[in-house]
Amino acid sequence: MNHLIPEYLNYWFEVGIWKFIRIFWYFVLFEFTRYIIIDYIVYGIFYLNRKKRQDRWDLAKQKFRLENPLVSIIIPGKNEGKHLYKLTKSLSEQTYTNFELIIVDDGSDDDTPIIGENLKKHGLIDLFLRNDQRGGKASAANFALQFCKGKYIVHLDADCSFDRDAIENVVIPFYIDENIGAVGGNVKVRNYKSSLCAKLQAIEYLKTVSVGRIVTSYLGIYKIISGAFGAFRSDVISSIGGWDIGPGLDGDITVKIRKSGYRVYFEPTAVCLTNAPEKFKVLTKQRLRWDKSIIRFRVRKHKDVYFPNANFKWSTFFSLAENVFYNVILDVLWWIYIIDICINYSGSLQFVIPMNITLYFVMSYVQMCSIYMFSERREEEKYLWKYVAFMTFYTGMYLRIVRTIAYYKEFFFKRSFEDPWNPYKSSRLAKEHGL
Amino acid sequence: MFKVVKNNNQKILTQGSIDYLIIEKWSTALEGALTSCKAVIIATKEVAWFNDIVLQLRTHKDKNVFLKPVFYKYDVKSEYVIHTDGLFEEDLSNEMVRTIVDKIQNVPQLAFEQNFDVTTRLVQFLFTREAKLVPVKNRHSKIGYIYPFIGLYFTNKEYEIEKQLQFLVNDETLDVKLKDKIQLCNDCHDSYLIYKETCPKCKSIDLEAQDIIHHFTCAHVAPQEQFMNSEDDNLQCPKCDKHLRHIGIDYDKPSSVYNCNTCDHNFQVSQVLAECHSCNHVNSLEELIEVTIYDYELTMKAMLLAEGKYQVHKTEAKNDTLVFKQLLDQERKRHFAKGHSSYLFTVSLTGELLNILDSNYINSFWKDMKQVAREYVVNDLCYVREGNSIRLLLLDMLQVEAEQLQQKMIYNMELLLSDNIKSHITIENKLINVDTL
């Protein structure tokens, strides 16, 4: 055992650049380029353009304040009554106050109707709608659309809370470019101290949501506006007929908006905090659902974006292609990579595996540096640094395995249509019509 | 056989041994004859005269008058007939008069005589009749019900009757049986209310309701109007153009919405308002006063009390005191775990005001106090009231716990005494370990 460490260190120096690339091709070609090089280049550009961006923001803010548009905030959900009071308190603290608050109860079987009616009676919400029969989140959100009077619609999840300027900041980008049809808010984990599972998700959200979406938004390939916090232009959302059946309806609507010719934008300063699952069992269920939606929507429903047609747009093509490539294709490639290593380097596995872990470990911290540079909550997020070491196993192993299972189930068995997250009556028809 | 004797313009009908005074119109000159006759027959066809006679008789200050059997000869369609003993029928009425008169005479000393208020009169009236008080529906009454006898004392203030009767219920004089629940206007206490569905925003009644349709395939949800195809009567989804053919298969109607034609507000739950037909006050449902209507019956205790067969003490029951003493003796002999013991807790009220205060108030106070005490004692046997004091047996506890209970009880007693009388009444209390007795 004692001789392994010096040999391992020696291997680093002896392996040579070409052999290194051959052995760690997966890391070098895909992970390092995408998550280190591109992130830092975008940060560099951001840093250089900061003055210009700030001027553009100030001008948009001025226009927004001058117009003072009515914003309709909609919150569809089932059995969310317990979160509603906190949510209204969080919204009552907003710097922007010209909004109407519409809550849709999608056939709750708990005290939600009583709580909702009570909040309405006390003037904490403007409209409380209830469907006695559950129709699914999309139908509840579409129901709310019927009553929205605002120029912009903000879609929220009931268990979220918001920075004081979140509503204002998520709407301002519409005044930066009139071709922006939807703006995604920055979702962070509120309960990041509660368990290791939540801590790892907090880091993951920072990587994939905060920084990841800044980068994709900058590159024009931003592809998902979180259901937890997103803003839409009323006319745009009406023209595309609102939300379609989920699960994964947030990603779906983003693609629909892109396909209609509008820009989709990510606003990192519009911060919303949400509770992440605290147990791996719950997280696994959630991720299986999310990952299946990539196959269902990106690969099947919206496959037309990959082919030349009248509405073809390169940005939409790249947006979905990047998503499918980095998630689906690379997932398959990762297993090929494992087989490749096992077959071709079976004698050196005692070095290759630790080296891989070391690479990902270092990369996690380098990525964390970029998060630190982009972040507006640097001090609070310092707490997470010591847990970054676990990310190698979390994203490199756990999430990959969950993803593989989800893709397999969806690709061969279309399991997302059986997910109880959406009622069977509508999932059955959506499956029939290939939606 | 009967004969009518006309004397000083007063007609007296004698049937068997019973003299009936026949009255056509009320006059103070009748007072003398009223005391000498056993019963009264009202013989007028004028509703106003009829009502006046009933009112004068039943609200008369003399108990021998207001309790007197009263019959009527002509059915004048007056709502006041419920305060009488019915239509005069020779044999039947005689029997009834004998029963009533016997009851009045057999009561040696009516228990409530010293405090001769309306409720006391009612108890006496009920005792001499069938012991039942059954409110009758009446659309001219403000609360929609009229009460035999007691109703005459509260004309246009029927709302007050239930409160008065509640005192007798609290005092265990009356038993109740639920009959109805009614809502009254908050402003004038009238029950004639018109309920309206209104817009919660502008209170308009110009509302239109529409079903909401949920199309399963594309999740589109909108009012039915948007799904109606103008060319035919079919339903067509405005989002995906598909035809909706079968409810439950293609679509469902999960809810409905109202649209206000006045302010264009949309909502699902209309606000129901109750407009009072008498004073035009518009009440929200929360504002309405809910009154429970009961059928009442004299309790056995009240019957015995009225007959003088039940010894009236200021204590609740003498037997309770004996049981309490036995329990106390038992506790003194008992061996406790270290630090534990039972405690005798005595609380008394003193002050001259107690002699002046209405007995109903005092009884009600002790009743509430008993409720409070029940939370601290094991069962009712550990509680006894003697005049204006109560004794509680606190079983098997630490001294600290007993002292905490003592403080809580005193605190609650002070809360129960209203502010304006608190300063005139002193609360004294004592906590004794039973071992030291």
Side-chain angles (χ1 to χ4, degrees):
Chain A
M1 185 68 194
N2 286 343
H3 64 278
L4 276 177
I5 296 169
E7 278 184 23
Y8 163 74
L9 292 172
N10 197 37
Y11 196 85
W12 274 101
F13 297 106
E14 302 247 320
V15 72
I17 185 76
W18 294 112
K19 196 175 175 190
F20 180 85
I21 293 173
R22 170 63 188 90
I23 298 172
F24 303 107
W25 58 268
Y26 188 86
F27 175 81
V28 175
L29 291 179
F30 306 118
E31 307 267 27
F32 182 70
T33 47
R34 169 64 185 83
Y35 297 113
I36 301 292
I37 296 180
I38 294 179
D39 281 9
Y40 276 88
I41 289 174
V42 171
Y43 178 74
I45 297 167
F46 252 61
Y47 185 77
L48 294 173
N49 288 341
R50 64 189 186 282
K51 173 84 176 57
K52 204 172 148 191
R53 276 189 304 114
Q54 187 60 45
D55 290 346
R56 217 168 42 165
W57 176 267
D58 290 342
L59 188 67
K61 189 171 180 174
Q62 204 180 347
K63 280 191 210 166
F64 166 70
R65 283 287 173 98
L66 206 66
E67 189 185 324
N68 196 37
L70 176 68
V71 175
S72 299
I73 299 176
I74 62 170
I75 302 154
K78 186 193 174 197
N79 293 348
E80 301 281 14
K82 53 189 177 289
H83 303 299
L84 294 181
Y85 180 69
K86 262 191 193 168
L87 179 80
T88 56
K89 290 300 282 178
S90 172
L91 291 173
S92 67
E93 289 291 307
Q94 288 297 310
T95 50
Y96 192 66
T97 53
N98 189 22
F99 62 80
E100 56 173 1
L101 184 53
I102 301 172
I103 289 171
V104 187
D105 170 16
D106 187 26
S108 293
D109 47 20
D110 64 356
D111 290 338
T112 302
I114 301 164
I115 296 168
E117 284 299 337
N118 246 314
L119 292 174
K120 192 180 140 213
K121 205 177 277 176
H122 288 90
L124 294 172
I125 57 177
D126 295 285
L127 190 57
F128 179 75
L129 301 166
R130 172 172 164 78
N131 283 334
D132 292 331
Q133 296 162 46
R134 181 177 166 235
K137 196 155 189 171
S139 74
N142 289 338
F143 188 28
L145 283 184
Q146 294 295 323
F147 301 93
C148 291
K149 296 189 170 78
K151 185 175 177 186
Y152 302 103
I153 289 160
V154 175
H155 181 288
L156 308 178
D157 273 354
D159 61 347
C160 294
S161 54
F162 304 87
D163 275 9
R164 292 189 73 247
D165 53 2
I167 299 293
E168 183 172 358
N169 288 354
V170 85
V171 180
I172 287 174
F174 290 111
Y175 293 81
I176 292 174
D177 177 358
E178 60 180 25
N179 199 35
I180 290 176
V183 179
N186 192 355
V187 182
K188 296 191 172 197
V189 174
R190 180 171 47 214
N191 58 334
Y192 64 90
K193 286 186 178 172
S194 62
S195 68
L196 179 67
C197 180
K199 287 177 181 78
L200 297 178
Q201 285 173 87
I203 300 168
E204 184 202 359
Y205 272 55
L206 290 172
K207 280 166 66 177
T208 59
V209 179
S210 299
V211 177
R213 289 180 188 175
I214 289 173
V215 173
T216 51
S217 180
Y218 181 78
L219 297 174
I221 55 171
Y222 174 39
K223 72 271 175 181
I224 181 161
I225 290 172
S226 291
F229 189 26
F232 305 87
R233 258 172 55 183
S234 273
D235 56 338
V236 173
I237 211 159
S238 298
S239 69
I240 59 166
W243 284 266
D244 289 350
I245 294 164
L249 64 163
D250 43 3
D252 177 50
I253 198 165
T254 316
V255 178
K256 281 167 71 182
I257 291 168
R258 292 193 75 104
K259 282 162 82 175
S260 309
Y262 293 96
R263 266 186 76 192
V264 183
Y265 190 88
F266 175 73
E267 180 45 57
T269 62
V271 178
C272 142
L273 300 180
T274 188
N275 277 339
E278 290 175 9
K279 290 181 179 159
F280 282 103
K281 195 179 168 187
V282 183
L283 177 66
T284 306
K285 263 177 109 177
Q286 184 199 57
R287 292 308 165 91
L288 282 172
R289 191 171 67 236
W290 288 5
D291 291 331
K292 280 177 205 162
S293 69
I294 292 184
I295 301 289
R296 176 164 161 184
F297 293 109
R298 310 280 152 109
V299 177
R300 288 208 181 98
K301 184 179 172 184
H302 296 295
K303 59 180 179 288
D304 55 318
V305 301
Y306 305 114
F307 304 105
N309 55 45
N311 292 325
F312 183 83
K313 270 181 75 183
W314 281 109
S315 63
T316 310
F317 169 82
F318 279 121
S319 161
L320 267 68
E322 188 261 0
N323 192 216
V324 171
F325 181 76
Y326 275 93
N327 286 282
V328 185
I329 296 174
L330 284 196
D331 194 66
V332 177
L333 276 179
W334 187 76
W335 290 104
I336 293 171
Y337 171 70
I338 297 292
I339 295 165
D340 171 40
I341 294 296
C342 290
I343 293 171
N344 297 314
Y345 298 94
S346 55
S348 316
L349 283 180
Q350 73 273 32
F351 304 123
V352 174
I353 292 170
M355 279 179 82
N356 249 313
I357 292 170
T358 312
L359 284 173
Y360 280 101
F361 177 82
V362 174
M363 189 181 86
S364 296
Y365 275 100
V366 175
Q367 259 191 302
M368 201 60 191
C369 291
S370 71
I371 290 167
Y372 183 77
M373 289 189 289
F374 278 113
S375 180
E376 33 57 73
R377 274 178 163 81
R378 287 176 183 169
E379 286 308 307
E380 294 160 43
E381 284 154 11
K382 268 185 185 169
Y383 171 84
L384 294 169
W385 279 72
K386 53 184 174 285
Y387 299 99
V388 171
F390 294 99
M391 290 304 284
T392 308
F393 302 99
Y394 174 72
T395 49
M397 299 288 291
Y398 165 72
L399 286 184
R400 244 186 249 282
I401 292 167
V402 172
R403 215 179 289 151
T404 308
I405 296 167
Y407 296 158
Y408 171 76
K409 283 185 172 179
E410 184 60 24
F411 200 81
F412 294 105
F413 305 105
K414 296 186 176 177
R415 283 285 162 80
S416 70
F417 294 98
E418 290 159 31
D419 197 315
W421 189 85
N422 202 59
Y424 175 71
K425 60 185 178 188
S426 49
S427 288
R428 183 182 59 83
L429 286 177
K431 191 177 179 181
E432 253 177 56
H433 292 91
L435 294 169
Chain B
M1 285 296 292
F2 62 89
K3 59 175 181 176
V4 177
V5 180
K6 211 170 178 184
N7 185 20
N8 296 334
N9 293 328
Q10 289 165 6
K11 286 185 195 168
I12 293 172
L13 171 89
T14 306
Q15 190 184 17
S17 58
I18 300 169
D19 291 340
Y20 291 88
L21 178 64
I22 298 171
I23 305 175
E24 287 172 10
K25 192 179 179 189
W26 178 258
S27 149
T28 47
L30 293 167
E31 300 256 349
L34 267 173
T35 43
S36 59
C37 290
K38 285 192 174 156
V40 171
I41 296 172
I42 304 172
T44 177
K45 289 179 181 173
E46 287 290 328
V47 177
W49 290 5
F50 180 93
N51 292 352
D52 189 38
I53 295 167
V54 173
L55 182 71
Q56 296 299 338
L57 287 171
R58 289 292 185 233
T59 59
H60 200 278
K61 61 185 176 190
D62 185 348
K63 77 166 191 204
N64 290 316
V65 177
F66 77 76
L67 290 177
K68 208 169 275 296
V70 177
F71 301 94
Y72 57 90
K73 192 175 173 188
Y74 306 110
D75 187 4
V76 289
K77 308 282 182 210
S78 163
E79 62 196 41
Y80 275 45
V81 294
I82 66 159
H83 308 299
T84 70
D85 293 294
L87 190 70
F88 179 72
E89 289 170 69
E90 289 174 21
D91 296 337
L92 212 61
S93 299
N94 275 358
E95 195 51 43
M96 204 186 284
V97 171
R98 277 191 201 98
T99 314
I100 295 170
V101 170
D102 276 357
K103 277 190 175 172
I104 296 171
Q105 284 170 355
N106 286 342
V107 177
Q109 184 192 357
L110 286 172
F112 309 90
E113 217 159 25
Q114 70 276 25
N115 187 7
F116 204 67
D117 57 14
V118 179
T119 48
T120 310
R121 284 168 174 246
L122 175 71
V123 172
Q124 292 174 343
F125 182 79
L126 294 180
F127 174 71
T128 53
R129 266 60 183 186
E130 287 178 345
K132 283 181 182 166
L133 177 68
V134 180
V136 178
K137 274 186 184 159
N138 185 296
R139 59 173 293 191
H140 301 298
S141 159
K142 286 190 85 158
I143 63 166
Y145 280 91
I146 51 174
Y147 291 74
F149 189 77
I150 193 170
L152 288 168
Y153 293 82
F154 292 92
T155 317
N156 296 325
K157 284 190 290 182
E158 290 91 342
Y159 171 61
E160 299 286 325
I161 296 176
E162 279 294 330
K163 282 187 195 167
Q164 294 292 328
L165 294 175
Q166 199 54 44
F167 276 122
L168 294 175
V169 175
N170 291 341
D171 205 26
E172 295 174 14
T173 303
L174 291 178
D175 267 344
V176 291
K177 190 177 156 198
L178 181 67
K179 187 185 186 80
D180 202 356
K181 277 186 180 172
I182 54 165
Q183 275 85 32
L184 304 180
C185 169
N186 190 286
D187 207 33
C188 69
H189 300 161
D190 199 295
S191 63
Y192 196 169
L193 300 165
I194 311 289
Y195 291 88
K196 296 170 179 182
E197 280 191 315
T198 64
C199 167
K201 206 170 175 183
C202 70
K203 313 283 180 243
S204 165
I205 53 165
D206 190 4
L207 311 177
E208 221 169 282
Q210 259 201 84
D211 282 337
I212 291 292
I213 288 183
H214 166 211
H215 183 210
F216 295 158
T217 313
C218 69
H220 189 60
V221 179
Q224 182 159 347
E225 188 185 51
Q226 291 185 27
F227 284 82
M228 293 304 291
N229 192 328
S230 53
E231 290 163 14
D232 47 35
D233 277 344
N234 286 330
L235 294 171
Q236 189 176 16
C237 178
K239 179 174 167 182
C240 65
D241 293 335
K242 289 195 171 63
H243 280 280
L244 279 61
R245 301 165 66 127
H246 203 121
I247 191 162
I249 303 291
D250 300 325
Y251 69 98
D252 64 4
K253 293 181 173 180
S255 58
S256 60
V257 284
Y258 288 97
N259 178 255
C260 173
N261 290 329
T262 308
C263 70
D264 204 29
H265 183 47
N266 291 300
F267 49 92
Q268 280 190 304
V269 183
S270 61
Q271 188 180 11
V272 178
L273 296 174
E275 188 180 332
C276 177
H277 213 59
S278 301
C279 70
N280 292 327
H281 178 68
V282 179
N283 299 270
S284 65
L285 294 188
E286 296 79 21
E287 257 185 294
L288 291 173
I289 300 167
E290 188 174 270
V291 175
T292 310
I293 306 287
Y294 297 101
D295 285 342
Y296 297 88
E297 192 171 357
L298 277 185
T299 59
M300 189 52 75
K301 179 183 158 186
M303 302 270 267
L304 293 171
L305 200 64
E307 278 185 309
K309 290 178 185 170
Y310 190 97
Q311 280 296 312
V312 183
H313 285 274
K314 284 189 175 176
T315 54
E316 287 204 329
K318 210 171 184 177
N319 286 342
D320 291 352
T321 318
L322 289 172
V323 174
F324 187 84
K325 276 181 182 164
Q326 279 175 3
L327 269 176
L328 192 60
D329 283 344
Q330 210 174 304
E331 286 302 298
R332 284 171 59 196
K333 291 171 195 162
R334 190 170 152 197
H335 294 287
F336 293 98
K338 198 181 174 189
H340 283 243
S341 187
S342 290
Y343 293 86
L344 176 66
F345 179 43
T346 313
V347 191
S348 312
L349 292 185
T350 52
E352 282 187 15
L353 191 66
L354 289 168
N355 302 326
I356 307 162
L357 279 174
D358 178 30
S359 61
N360 280 333
Y361 177 84
I362 296 285
N363 284 335
S364 159
F365 169 79
W366 284 114
K367 192 106 185 159
D368 291 343
M369 205 51 226
K370 189 174 180 181
Q371 286 296 332
V372 173
R374 270 187 184 142
E375 288 178 26
Y376 305 113
V377 295
V378 177
N379 58 42
D380 281 359
L381 298 176
C382 297
Y383 166 96
V384 71
R385 181 187 156 199
E386 289 170 338
N388 280 324
S389 67
I390 52 166
R391 293 201 291 163
L392 302 181
L393 196 51
L394 308 174
L395 300 179
D396 196 7
M397 58 179 69
L398 293 167
Q399 187 169 352
V400 190
E401 291 168 346
E403 282 167 0
Q404 281 172 353
L405 289 185
Q406 179 188 17
Q407 283 170 10
K408 280 185 194 168
M409 284 283 293
I410 297 304
Y411 174 74
N412 284 322
M413 278 190 92
E414 283 174 349
L415 286 182
L416 282 173
L417 286 172
S418 58
D419 287 342
N420 49 350
I421 63 164
K422 208 185 280 182
S423 52
H424 302 285
I425 290 178
T426 316
I427 303 173
E428 290 170 356
N429 73 95
K430 212 164 35 176
L431 183 71
I432 307 166
N433 188 325
V434 291
D435 291 339
T436 62
L437 288 172

